[in-house]
Structures are given as C-alpha cells and as structure tokens.
Amino acid sequence: MCAKWISHTASVSYCKNAEINLDTNMQGNPDAFNPAELLLAALSACMIKGMERVAPILKFSFSGVEVKLHGVRQDVPPKMESIEYEIIVDTEEDDGRLELLHKNIKQYGTVFNTVAPGTILTGKISRKTS
C-alpha cells in the first residue's frame, strides 16, 4: 500500500489495482474520504468482510447487509472518541442466530479489534425490514 501527495488539494492511496482519493486538503474535499471517514469505512468493510468469512462456517443465510456508522471526534487531543454502528442484515435467520453472527463479527474482526481498545465502540445488529 502507498499514499501519495499530489497537490495542496489532492492525495491518493494505492493498493493492489485500486486507488482511493484522499481528502487531505485543509479546506476539505467533498469528492474524497478524509482520514476519519477512512477509519469508519475500514471498520464497516471489516464488519462486512467478517460476515463473508463467518457466514459459511455458521451456515448463516443472508441476501444483503448494510453497515451504518456515526463517529464522534474529540478535538483535544484529536481522536475518534466514540463510534456507534448498526449492522442491518437481510435474512430470515432467527434472532439467536443473528446475535451469534454479531458475536463472531466482533470477535474476529481485525480492524474492529484494533479500534475497540482505544474508542468507545458500541453497536447492534438488526434485521432488515421492508
């Protein structure tokens, strides 16, 4: 992985065959993720990838997932103070199985387990409703 400063208004991160525009401009860039948004994106990707990893092991059936996150930034010292999330799963599995999935997502997520010790990380898993 590599990140490169392009100009005072643009930076890019490269990994494998992909690239992500980075908001490193002091005035902000609406067409790119800022560092805090990248952290939230990494956490949501970790949760979704965790589902992909454990669903076959648990024989958990789902047809869709959405992760919603809200982070609260502390100014001094600057850090992500808290992150609240909701994992919304399109599934017919019962509530007990849904909670088992949530437990596995939290237990085996690399980014989740990196963020959790330094941030108030709370959330829930729920079933998608029509």
Side-chain angles (χ1 to χ4, degrees):
M1 178 169 175
C2 173
K4 186 175 181 180
W5 179 86
I6 306 299
S7 71
H8 289 289
T9 60
S11 295
V12 179
S13 183
Y14 304 95
C15 183
K16 298 179 264 191
N17 294 326
E19 65 181 54
I20 298 174
N21 292 327
L22 305 175
D23 176 6
T24 55
N25 185 343
M26 292 305 296
Q27 284 71 48
N29 180 348
D31 297 322
F33 286 86
N34 70 35
E37 292 162 343
L38 281 167
L39 176 67
L40 296 176
L43 181 58
S44 63
C46 176
M47 292 175 186
I48 294 169
K49 188 163 186 164
M51 278 192 64
E52 290 286 349
R53 183 181 300 117
V54 302
I57 296 166
L58 299 175
K59 296 180 178 26
F60 187 95
S61 176
F62 70 98
S63 59
V65 63
E66 178 180 358
V67 179
K68 295 182 179 183
L69 299 112
H70 176 73
V72 176
R73 186 181 179 279
Q74 173 182 296
D75 286 332
V76 179
K79 71 174 195 168
M80 193 62 73
E81 180 179 288
S82 64
I83 299 170
E84 189 173 327
Y85 67 86
E86 182 180 12
I87 305 168
I88 304 162
V89 184
D90 192 353
T91 185
E92 297 297 321
E93 299 276 358
D94 66 39
D95 290 347
R97 301 258 304 142
L98 201 56
E99 284 305 319
L100 177 63
L101 178 66
H102 190 206
K103 176 184 174 188
N104 276 269
I105 290 168
K106 293 188 295 185
Q107 186 172 357
Y108 298 110
T110 302
V111 176
F112 191 100
N113 288 320
T114 301
V115 170
T119 306
I120 300 167
L121 183 56
T122 57
K124 65 182 181 177
I125 194 165
S126 62
R127 184 182 324 285
K128 181 180 179 181
T129 57
S130 306

